[in-house]
Amino acid sequence: MASSLLEAVDIKAPVAVSWALWQDVERWPAFLSHVKHVDRIDASTFAWQVALPGANKGFVAELVEVIPQERIAWRTIEGVHHAGVVTFHRLSDTESRVTLQIEYEPEGFIEHLGALTNLDSTLANYDLGEFQRVAEAEASHQ
């Protein structure tokens, strides 16, 4: 059974700052706690190594839609099956909202447990909080 999560965070940073940080896929380990590293294969394909509760996993994902300062969507083509989209919303000249939506197929007991107990949502919420911290720090240095 597929699971999904949807989380959002308001950031005291313009959309341009939030976008610049998120669109650099290789920087995701700086604010996504479960992502250990992301290696660029080509312009739209990346190899990921993630550490999830109870398991380390690798997968290859491709960017399927990139609309500057609006949305980034991806899906896996090898390994753990999931797809996601991040959208960017201008709230004002100095504030933005970032929304993360992920659809995935839990595999194994730990992943099913995470989906059932909302642990996945808690991790996503934590990661968006880390993203908020990094984006606001970058905005304050501009």
Side-chain angles (χ1 to χ4, degrees), residues 30 44 85 88 111 130 132:
S44 63
V85 62
F88 303 84
E111 290 179 30
E130 286 298 296
Q132 176 185 28

Side-chain angles (χ1 to χ4, degrees), residues 21-116:
L21 183 59
W22 202 285
Q23 66 92 29
D24 185 357
V25 174
E26 292 166 315
R27 288 190 68 188
W28 289 12
F31 54 84
L32 297 178
S33 60
H34 59 283
V35 177
K36 296 309 163 198
H37 62 83
V38 180
D39 297 317
R40 181 181 296 271
I41 295 171
D42 60 34
S44 63
T45 312
F46 302 86
W48 294 62
Q49 187 65 41
V50 297
L52 300 169
N56 288 326
K57 305 248 181 183
F59 60 88
V60 176
E62 68 176 350
L63 298 176
V64 294
E65 183 179 31
V66 177
I67 302 172
Q69 298 192 25
E70 288 185 28
R71 64 189 285 125
I72 298 172
W74 69 91
R75 67 180 174 96
T76 56
I77 54 177
E78 282 180 31
V80 178
H81 296 293
H82 79 273
V85 62
V86 180
T87 54
F88 303 84
H89 309 273
R90 179 187 183 277
L91 299 178
S92 73
D93 288 345
T94 59
E95 294 184 71
S96 56
R97 175 173 295 144
V98 175
T99 303
L100 170 66
Q101 183 173 358
I102 297 176
E103 303 286 330
Y104 64 101
E105 288 290 338
E107 296 176 359
F109 175 75
I110 297 294
E111 290 179 30
H112 282 285
L113 185 63
L116 288 172

